[in-house]
Amino acid sequence: MTTPVVSIAYHSGYGHTALLAEAVRAGAAGAGAEVHLIKVDEITDAQWETLDGSDAIVFGSPTYMGTASGAFHVFAEASSKRWFGQDWQDKLAAGFTNSGSKSGDKLHTLQFFQILAAQHGMNWVNLGLLPGWNSSTASEYDLNRLGVFAGAAAQTNTDEGPEAVHKADLATAEHLGRRVAETARTFLQGRAAT
């Protein structure tokens, strides 16, 4: 069986998004993937090569002022060197984000990731979950408690540290990692069969 390679390219300003990245990593590793965590604000040439050799890249950033962080935008612009050669063509992509507000315009950050992936010719993997916590019998501990479809979204109060990242949001990020790894395995098996 082929082992998919999943890289998580993320920025974390205060540690909240780093916890989500670790949850995505745990989900992907639990599904049998080789997983690499890459901090985009400290990226090395070797890590760029790791991204180039990955089957899937999961983008992650806090949502600041309605979009991904400045550090993530710098990484996105630097990826244009890969765009010229279409080095990431047909890889899988997914994304996750965190902000202080329940909405916080997190969808815009996920859409930024989707457009970045589309420009690279990548295939987007959505969350694949129905919304949770949207009925009288539901709970804030449901997976996808914020009801986002494009990727994993988390909300953490602005006056609390990383330890306050909601357990349901971490579980949702772990689900995303597992889904990306399973989808990557399916893609690899399909390519091997053709």
Side-chain angles (χ1 to χ4, degrees):
M1 182 178 289
T2 305
T3 301
V5 178
V6 176
S7 288
I8 302 161
Y10 75 97
H11 173 250
S12 183
Y14 299 97
H16 306 83
T17 309
L19 283 181
L20 292 169
E22 178 55 38
V24 173
R25 186 211 60 77
E34 174 187 328
V35 187
H36 303 276
L37 285 172
I38 297 173
K39 295 179 181 180
V40 299
D41 54 333
E42 301 173 2
I43 193 166
T44 65
D45 288 343
Q47 289 173 322
W48 279 109
E49 291 175 13
T50 298
L51 292 175
D52 296 344
S54 297
D55 299 301
I57 302 172
V58 183
F59 302 124
S61 169
T63 295
Y64 293 157
M65 302 307 294
T67 189
S69 66
F72 193 92
H73 277 267
V74 169
F75 161 77
E77 288 183 25
S79 77
S80 65
K81 291 178 182 174
R82 271 66 190 166
W83 176 82
F84 281 109
Q86 288 295 281
D87 300 337
W88 295 353
Q89 177 82 28
D90 295 326
K91 292 183 186 300
L92 299 178
F96 61 95
T97 188
N98 178 77
S99 73
S101 300
K102 295 288 190 278
S103 169
D105 295 318
K106 286 186 271 289
L107 178 59
H108 186 260
T109 299
L110 293 171
Q111 289 172 329
F112 171 74
F113 295 156
Q114 288 176 316
I115 292 169
L116 175 64
Q119 288 188 342
H120 281 286
M122 302 170 82
N123 299 293
W124 189 258
V125 178
N126 61 49
L127 187 57
L129 286 174
L130 292 172
W133 200 25
N134 66 352
S135 72
S136 61
T137 59
S139 161
E140 70 173 297
Y141 295 98
D142 291 344
L143 287 179
N144 196 19
R145 71 185 182 111
L146 299 177
V148 176
F149 295 90
Q155 181 274 328
T156 311
N157 294 330
T158 58
D159 59 349
E160 294 184 295
E163 71 283 352
V165 175
H166 201 286
K167 294 200 181 329
D169 296 341
L170 291 170
T172 301
E174 187 171 337
H175 167 86
L176 178 66
R178 189 168 42 257
R179 180 170 166 84
V180 168
E182 290 168 353
T183 304
R185 178 171 285 107
T186 300
F187 266 62
L188 288 172
Q189 290 171 344
R191 285 183 184 136
T194 59

